[in-house]
Amino acid sequence: FLSGETEKGAHLLQDVYIRDKDNKEVRLKLSRCQKTHSAFSQGRSCVKRGRYKEAVDHFTIAMNESGEVPEGSPLFSALRTERAEAWLLSKKFSEALKDCQAVINVDTENATAWAIRSEVLVAMGKADEAKDELASIRRTWGRDNPTIDEGYRRVDFELRVQRADDDLSNLVAQLQAGTLERVFTKGDEGRNSEPRVPVRKVSANGE
């Protein structure tokens, strides 16, 4: 159960309970495990169907039903990383960061938490910070970690797209303002050639 395999844990407890139905402690643990597994599964199902707010609610219920879960256990990390992703998809970025940080505080090498955190930072317009964090991790414990590598590639791609968009926006702004003096075609860079396409400022009356 604490390993995060809630379904397997529920089945094992069910077997024990069948052999000892008078054991109140086993009955209580079985009920807790079944409710946690049910809420956890419903949360994942909601994420797949795009119902992110509902997913957050189910993951929160799973966390409450699981009782006092040791912070260093896989179940603790699984519940919070799943909810963090649902928060992210709901555009509740601060809540997502809190869940990621809760996991990282007890498991600094949790690749999933770091990857989700990087996605949150990108969504908040902090792609450079996300890239720096993942680059640092890749130089240490995250070397050759597929989750970290994939997260880094995604952030790097987002940064490239952002920079291309910024460059295009600046070009359009200069064209509209009539401040772009020369537009070179490929191969003109570094030559003393005349611009292939002259750009001049157009007045309001079209002259």
Side-chain angles (χ1 to χ4, degrees), residues 131 134-135 138 147-157:
K131 184 177 180 180
L134 293 180
R138 291 178 83 206
T147 300
I148 295 299
D149 285 343
E150 176 62 21
Y152 182 85
R153 282 194 292 270
R154 287 170 122 179
V155 172
D156 184 61
F157 175 76

Side-chain angles (χ1 to χ4, degrees), residues 72-95:
S73 68
L75 179 59
F76 177 90
S77 298
L79 290 171
R80 277 156 184 77
T81 53
E82 291 280 359
R83 191 173 69 169
E85 184 174 23
W87 280 129
L88 166 62
L89 295 170
S90 300
K91 302 187 185 303
K92 300 292 185 179
F93 304 134
S94 61
E95 288 85 349

